[in-house]
Structures are given as C-alpha cells and as structure tokens.
Amino acid sequence: MNKDFIQALSDLEKEKRIPKDYLLKSIEEAITKAYKKEYKTDENVSVSIDSVSGEISIVSLYDVVEVVENELTQISLEEAKEYDEDYEVGDQIEFNTEVADFGRIAAQTAKQVIVQKIREAERGMVYSEYSAKQSEIVTGVVERIHNGTINVLLGKGEGILLENEQVPGEKYKVNDRIKVYVMDVKREQKGVKIYVSRSHPGLVKRLFELEVPEIKDGTVVIKGIAREAGSRTKMAVYTEAEGVDPVGSCVGTGGRRVEAIVNELGGEKIDIIPWSEDPCDLIRNVLSPAKVEEVSIIDLDQKQAQVVVPDYQLSLAIGKEGQNVRLAARVSGWKIDIKSHSQYYGENGDVTEVEEING
C-alpha cells in the first residue's frame, strides 16, 4: 500500500460517496482474514493501515495469563514481565509481525474489497434514489424485451415492467422512450429490483399532476380514481376554491390538458367527474354519461345504494361488460344496484347484479 492507494480511496469517497474510513476498516478486516487463511493460523491478529501513508502493520495480540493454555493467543505473566514489569494478568501485549510477500496478498484482498464495496454503494444509491421516487412517474428507455417482460433503463437503475403491469394493446420496441409508474423498490441479493407499471391508476393520477397546475398546487384534489388500463378511467375531482371549475381545470382550454394525457395513454378514454360529499349526487355523477332518475341509499354504513335509470339508459349505465358501473363503484366506494324504470316499478322483477368496489 502507498500514498497513491490512500489518494484513490479519497477519490472514491468524493465520486461514490463511500467514506474512506469505512473502506479502510473493511480492507483491514478482510486482510486480517486473508492473513489467517494464507498462513493457516488461529493467532489473534490485527491489521491496520495508516490513513496517510498507506503503510500496513500486522500486530499479533496476546492475553497475559497465569497459566498458558493456548500459545497462539496467550502469554504467561512471567514472560510478559520480561518485556515490561508493569504487565498484569488480563493485560494484552502487541507484537509487530513481519511477513514476507504479504504485500501481494494485501493488495489483492484490498482490490476485492473495494470492488465489492463500490458495488454495494452503487446499489445503495440506486435503492435510495428510486425508493424516494416510489409512486412517482419516471421516464426510461426500453432496454430489452424477454418472455413478455420489458426491462426499462432508468438512468442508474433498471425498471422491470411485468406483463401484467402492461397495457393491453401497447407495443414497444428496444430504444423506445416510455413513461412508467414506480410501484415498488426491493433490495435483493443480486441487486436492486425496481418494479414499474403502465396500468396502475397512479400513473393517470401523476400524469394529471404534471399536466394540471391546479392539481399540483392543491387547488383541485383528485378524490377518487378507477382504471381499466387501455380502455377507460374514471376520475372524481373536487375543489373548495371559489370560482374554480375542477373538471374544467383538468380538461383544459379546448380539451388540451386531458388530450395530452389521453395521447400518452394511447387513446384511453378518461371520464372526469365532479366529486360530491352528498352520496346521491356522487353516485349520479360517477354513473355518467348515463342519466339517473333516482338514487336511494339502502345502507349508509355498508355504502350500498340503489339506482333507477330510464329503460333506454340501462345498457349505458351498466356499460359494455359492466365496465361503467364497475368503475363507478370503484371510484365512489359505493356498491351500486342498477334497475331500469320498468324493473323498479314492477313491470319486470329481474334485477341487475350488484357491482362492488374492487380494491
């Protein structure tokens, strides 16, 4: 070891933010283990590296005892007093050890430790960076596609876009730029795993925060959002600010704000509806574009409601394959039982299936 080595550690401290003292301590511990392994000894050995000169010293430590039971780690009081009369039982004596050709072993060990600690530090920085971005949108580049999973290069990290987090119908090629939502970040043995999504409702929410200043500054609040990725999203918005139209703020002049988000989502339909603290008004709103005749609260605690719509609006209220009422239930938090006017007033006793909130 030499001063150049110490300077290299100082440079690493600046570039990789790995404390030099931490590196030196780790190298000292590793060299100690390497010494014992190389020379097949159970001696109580301590290796230290001068933080200025880089000089290595190897010290054998011996405990002062009345009767020696292990010559590799103990020294008798009688022999210790030959070195210094002040030694007593329980003290420890240090002897410098000179080992030929140990510099090669030390250098090789130090290199291995530094590589390992750099890798650990880089993983730590990636974990810290992307943990802070959890539930946020990041932009990356498609790096590879294998067995349905898309790996997305995100600066220092790599996002994993699993097949079930992709949007049906969206296709990507290597080197395509892509916006993704950071769902979870995990430390694993082989590195940091960053799990991302294109289908998560949070992606739509964050896109509106980026596009609509009134949402970003808190004037307009997203109270509920439900999504069936690639098809339709329902989002309920609210404001307490006088003179602010929460729906109009999200739509933007000429529809430009919502259009930008629809384009980012590949044409996915977005229903923006006003939130209401009155459950009857809220249920009317979330079933849009269907017109509602009556809303009856069946159970306030369980959030169950019955809705009557004109006969010709029944299919629109339910939606294709039940999508409209399903999203309405999710965004509002209410279980909604829909009947047509004829059904409700007894011309037809059949009742549509209750749609419950799903997550």
Side-chain angles (χ1 to χ4, degrees), residues 287 290-295 306-318 336-345 352:
L287 283 171
K291 305 299 181 185
V292 174
E293 287 183 359
E294 299 177 36
V295 178
Q306 188 173 76
V307 172
V308 179
V309 299
D311 290 3
Y312 71 93
Q313 291 276 293
L314 182 61
S315 61
L316 182 62
I318 295 173
I336 303 172
D337 174 12
I338 299 179
K339 291 182 179 181
S340 71
H341 182 94
S342 298
Q343 288 171 339
Y344 185 71
Y345 287 104
T352 60

Side-chain angles (χ1 to χ4, degrees), residues 10 58-59 75 80-81 106 162-163 247 265 286 331 333:
S10 298
I58 305 171
V59 174
I75 186 172
K81 285 185 176 292
L162 298 174
E163 194 167 9
V247 174
L265 299 176
V286 297
V331 76

Side-chain angles (χ1 to χ4, degrees), residues 230-246:
S231 179
R232 194 178 209 100
T233 289
K234 277 186 184 285
M235 185 175 76
V237 293
Y238 175 78
T239 185
E240 293 183 352
E242 291 185 11
V244 176
D245 175 7

Side-chain angles (χ1 to χ4, degrees), residues 162-195:
L162 298 174
E163 194 167 9
N164 62 346
E165 293 299 334
Q166 297 168 29
V167 176
E170 285 190 346
K171 301 296 181 183
Y172 294 100
K173 307 185 301 295
V174 173
N175 294 326
D176 281 353
R177 292 185 68 80
I178 179 175
K179 282 189 174 74
V180 291
Y181 178 83
V182 180
M183 290 194 308
D184 197 11
V185 183
K186 294 181 179 179
R187 284 183 187 267
E188 297 188 3
Q189 190 171 5
K190 292 185 178 181
V192 178
K193 296 289 182 69
I194 306 166
Y195 294 94

